């Protein structure tokens, strides 16, 4: 449920209007899988089997240790910046297959199929500069004699390939 409005009237009338949450993504963790609302709110997926996840048409953020979790006393939620960044990234790069990973040390990260390399993206800031750095690195890798394993564009002023 995304929102609920309750109106009380006389004589003894109560009207409840419920707005269902439309999930924006699936958060895949070791603790279970969650539907994610655009504001980062997480709702457990109680009836979904692991084998059904690849068949969903929703983007997936794989965060096994829930490191993108908003810390506090409120309900379970993912950091909205991580969610927005992941969705923007997956929309801009269909070759990701609708899935990215997240961990606290390197932020968003994902494998690229062509050339085959793992990308450390970092946070969701400076998306345009990171995309440009990634394109330069991909072109360099296409003509390189030695294959690389990692392209790190998390620091826009110091991208590197190793």
């Amino acid at each position: 449920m995304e929102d609920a409005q309750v109106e009380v009237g006389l004589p003894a009338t109560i009207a409840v209007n419920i707005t269902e949450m439309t999930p924006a993504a699936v958060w895949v963790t070791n603790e279970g899988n969650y539907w994610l609302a655009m504001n980062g709110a997480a709702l457990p997926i109680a009836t979904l089997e692991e084998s059904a996840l690849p068949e969903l048409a929703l983007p997936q953020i794989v965060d096994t240790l829930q490191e993108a979790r908003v810390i506090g006393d409120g309900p379970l939620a993912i950091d909205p910046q991580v969610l927005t960044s992941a969705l923007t990234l997956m929309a801009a790069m269909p070759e990701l297959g609708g899935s990215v990973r997240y961990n606290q040390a390197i932020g968003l990260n994902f494998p690229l199929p062509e050339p085959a390399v793992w990308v450390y993206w970092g946070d969701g800031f400076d998306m345009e500069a990171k995309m440009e750095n990634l394109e330069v690195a991909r072109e360099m890798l296409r003509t390189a004699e030695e294959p690389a394993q990692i392209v790190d564009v998390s620091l826009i002023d110091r991208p590197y390939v190793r």
Side-chain angles (χ1 to χ4, degrees):
M1 173 177 70
E2 188 169 324
D3 189 34
Q5 301 291 322
V6 178
E7 296 177 21
V8 179
L10 294 175
T13 15
I14 297 176
V16 179
N17 294 314
I18 296 174
T19 304
E20 291 290 328
M21 179 190 81
T22 302
V26 175
W27 188 17
V28 180
T29 77
N30 285 344
E31 299 297 316
N33 302 316
Y34 302 88
W35 300 122
L36 291 173
M38 279 307 293
N39 66 358
L43 178 67
I45 303 173
T47 60
L48 187 64
E49 294 181 21
E50 290 291 325
S51 60
L53 278 176
E55 298 171 10
L56 291 175
L58 290 173
Q60 295 179 29
I61 300 171
V62 179
D63 175 18
T64 56
L65 300 177
Q66 292 185 355
E67 292 177 308
R69 180 180 184 168
V70 173
I71 304 299
D73 294 331
L76 181 64
I78 193 171
D79 181 338
Q81 178 66 34
V82 170
L83 175 60
T84 301
S85 302
L87 293 175
T88 302
L89 186 58
M90 288 184 275
M93 300 182 72
E95 64 266 36
L96 298 181
S99 179
V100 294
R101 294 182 172 274
Y102 180 86
N103 70 43
Q104 195 171 23
I106 57 176
L108 292 168
N109 59 93
F110 51 88
L112 279 180
E114 187 60 39
V117 66
W118 201 270
V119 177
Y120 294 173
W121 189 263
D123 60 30
F125 299 102
D126 302 311
M127 297 284 281
E128 190 173 312
K130 289 179 182 182
M131 198 63 83
E132 289 174 11
N133 287 343
L134 181 57
E135 275 310 308
V136 169
R138 288 177 91 173
E139 187 57 39
M140 185 183 79
L141 291 173
R142 286 184 188 101
T143 59
E145 293 179 21
E146 294 287 325
Q149 294 179 340
I150 295 171
V151 172
D152 188 335
V153 295
S154 61
L155 301 173
I156 60 168
D157 297 332
R158 294 190 321 232
Y160 69 86
V161 175
R162 65 177 162 132

